[in-house]
Amino acid sequence: MKVYCFSGLGADERVFQFLDLGPEYDIVPVAWINPFKNESIESYSERILSSIDIDKNFVVLGVSFGGIVAQEVSKRVKPTKTIIISSIKDRSGIPIFLKIIPNFILRIIPKSFFNLPKSIAAILFGSSNKELLFQILKDTEPSFVKWAVIALKNWKANIDESCIYISGAKDYLLKPFKSALIIEGGGHFMIVDKANEISRLVKKYLNQ
């Protein structure tokens, strides 16, 4: 069965390279498409559906911002199961600093501002694999990050109770919440740093 995977902001299939779900599951990273100007997450998720073959049973998995897109996709195509990692389930999980910044301020901020310095990224992501983290951030398109941040701020977030959520106890970017399965010691980059533990949890869920 195919597992369609949505990565974090601008990241690619590299974040899924350590995920092992067994030979019965085929991990298929979904490439981001270019967003339209001021496009909502809901509209974007509608357009990215063309990447998924809905004629056969499939699973959707999303990490960080990809977890939000995965939730919106799941509402529209009803996968067999949906796994959300290092993400949020409703607006209460949106960082407070983002909630209070007006949209017009975010829109006039230069896109270069959204290219995180390594020192800040190291703190927010808390990764032990800094070489891979910094390479992914280097390859990330700031204009995509800027769009995603604004889209996240304005996400309507109708909760989908069918999803399973996995959060890291030490995720300082999108903090863990009560109903999530918690990975002790897991930071925001735990899809890489805690890949073995996450793989076991996901396989257990898929085989239920």
Side-chain angles (χ1 to χ4, degrees), residues 103-143:
N103 284 333
F104 80 91
I105 294 293
L106 287 173
R107 291 193 174 106
I108 63 175
I109 293 175
K111 65 180 182 180
S112 58
F113 178 83
F114 294 86
N115 191 358
L116 284 177
K118 289 182 179 180
S119 57
I120 295 177
I123 294 171
L124 290 177
F125 286 83
S127 176
S128 60
N129 194 329
K130 290 184 173 58
E131 183 178 352
L132 178 59
L133 171 63
F134 292 156
Q135 186 59 53
I136 288 174
L137 291 175
K138 179 182 177 182
D139 296 340
T140 298
E141 174 52 54
S143 61

Side-chain angles (χ1 to χ4, degrees), residues 12-20 27 29 129 132 136 189 191-192 195 199:
D12 54 30
E13 65 272 8
R14 284 175 288 184
V15 299
F16 302 115
Q17 64 182 297
F18 305 108
L19 201 60
D20 179 12
I27 294 175
N129 194 329
L132 178 59
I136 288 174
F189 206 54
I191 187 66
V192 170
S199 295

Side-chain angles (χ1 to χ4, degrees), residues 1-8 11-17 19 21 25-32 48 51-52 58-63 65-67 69-70 73 83 85 191 202 206:
M1 185 184 300
K2 289 187 177 181
V3 180
Y4 291 99
C5 297
F6 294 87
S7 60
D12 54 30
E13 65 272 8
R14 284 175 288 184
V15 299
F16 302 115
Q17 64 182 297
L19 201 60
L21 304 183
Y25 294 102
D26 180 18
I27 294 175
V28 182
V30 178
W32 292 123
I48 208 168
S51 303
I52 296 176
F58 64 96
V59 173
V60 168
L61 183 151
V63 176
F65 179 75
V69 173
V73 165
I83 301 110
I85 301 170
I191 187 66
V202 172
L206 291 175

Side-chain angles (χ1 to χ4, degrees), residues 81 97 166 193:
K81 293 189 175 177
F97 71 87
I166 305 174
D193 297 329

Side-chain angles (χ1 to χ4, degrees), residues 13 33 43 46 48-49 54-55 67 69 73 87 93 97 105 129 140 144 160 164-165 168 180 193:
E13 65 272 8
I33 57 177
S43 170
E46 288 276 3
I48 208 168
L49 287 177
I54 62 174
D55 293 330
V69 173
V73 165
S87 192
F97 71 87
I105 294 293
N129 194 329
T140 298
F144 184 88
D160 185 351
I164 181 176
Y165 297 87
D193 297 329

